[in-house]
Amino acid sequence: LPLHRMFSHPYVQCVVVGTPATQPRFVVESVNQDNEACALVKLRTADSCLRANVKYEVIDDGRVLRKSARLINASPSPVRLLRVGLGAYHTDVQVSDGEIGFPVYADDEIFCSLDHPAGWAMGDHGAVRLRQYPGVMLQAGQSFVCMNTVIGVAEKGRAREAFRAHLSKRMRRVARKRDHPYAILDFFGAWERE
């Protein structure tokens, strides 16, 4: 079996020892819109132990919505982040399965993903869930930067192509103009400095 099929999300299990995990609910504290393409939402839990700063940006000529989040431990005691839900969307259309490192395609005209190969994008019966499993301990006052999520739109039947186009703009080799066929043969340091 291919490696990515051996560890599909229904079969990955974990055991937590100690205090049962809780899933806090956030409420909106404030919303600031910098311009038409950017908004910052500040959230907090009901007990104010966790805070979140979420930034929404419209990129790629309005075709992609990128969401960035930072979680802050505002309590005096440490908090362990086991699972971070970065998006849950319910649709009435067919969605692909997705998996770790791959996007979910909805009706082959929308893609939903995390911009990191360790992010989980899961599709099931018209629902899309975007998750991250950091397993980090946040000390008092410490913050954690979550993986970015991206939701993009495309013409009917071209979601995969639109996702690849979005990725190629972010690739390090493309951004640094080292995407020519013989770039691997360039000597270290022989390219132009930025």
Side-chain angles (χ1 to χ4, degrees):
L1 284 174
L3 186 61
H4 71 280
R5 294 286 180 218
M6 288 174 44
F7 299 106
S8 183
H9 59 87
Y11 306 106
V12 175
Q13 298 178 4
C14 64
V15 176
V16 178
V17 178
T19 309
T22 60
Q23 185 172 349
R25 298 286 177 204
F26 286 88
V27 294
V28 176
E29 203 170 60
S30 68
V31 177
N32 296 320
Q33 188 167 356
D34 295 338
N35 54 46
E36 289 181 5
C38 185
L40 179 65
V41 180
K42 293 189 178 195
L43 307 159
R44 64 171 173 76
T45 56
D47 60 2
S48 296
C49 286
L50 273 179
R51 296 189 177 278
N53 295 334
V54 182
K55 183 178 182 181
Y56 293 91
E57 294 176 277
V58 178
I59 57 173
D60 291 347
D61 297 324
R63 292 187 163 268
V64 176
L65 175 67
R66 178 173 52 208
K67 179 171 70 172
S68 310
R70 175 184 297 271
L71 298 173
I72 302 122
N73 180 5
S75 73
S77 57
V79 173
R80 181 170 303 279
L81 294 178
L82 295 176
R83 180 181 77 192
V84 178
L86 295 168
Y89 310 100
H90 301 280
T91 69
D92 295 328
V93 298
Q94 178 79 20
V95 298
S96 65
D97 292 339
E99 64 182 276
I100 189 168
F102 290 90
V104 170
Y105 298 104
D107 208 23
D108 206 19
E109 58 187 32
I110 298 171
F111 63 85
C112 303
S113 184
L114 284 94
D115 67 358
H116 193 283
W120 281 96
M122 298 172 279
D124 187 33
H125 294 93
V128 178
R129 289 181 312 281
L130 304 173
R131 290 188 183 153
Q132 175 181 1
Y133 295 91
V136 298
M137 182 71 78
L138 286 183
Q139 300 302 324
Q142 192 175 14
S143 66
F144 176 77
V145 177
C146 300
M147 296 175 187
N148 294 335
T149 63
V150 289
I151 300 171
V153 295
E155 293 82 17
K156 184 76 173 161
R158 302 187 69 182
R160 295 178 200 290
E161 184 180 322
F163 180 68
R164 283 193 301 269
H166 168 72
L167 281 183
S168 68
K169 292 176 190 169
R170 298 187 67 243
M171 290 173 58
R172 188 176 181 155
R173 285 181 28 199
V174 174
R176 294 185 177 188
K177 297 180 177 43
R178 297 188 195 126
D179 57 342
H180 51 88
Y182 299 106
I184 197 162
L185 300 176
D186 286 347
F187 295 107
F188 179 75
W191 52 79
E192 297 279 330
R193 296 279 183 202
E194 283 106 29

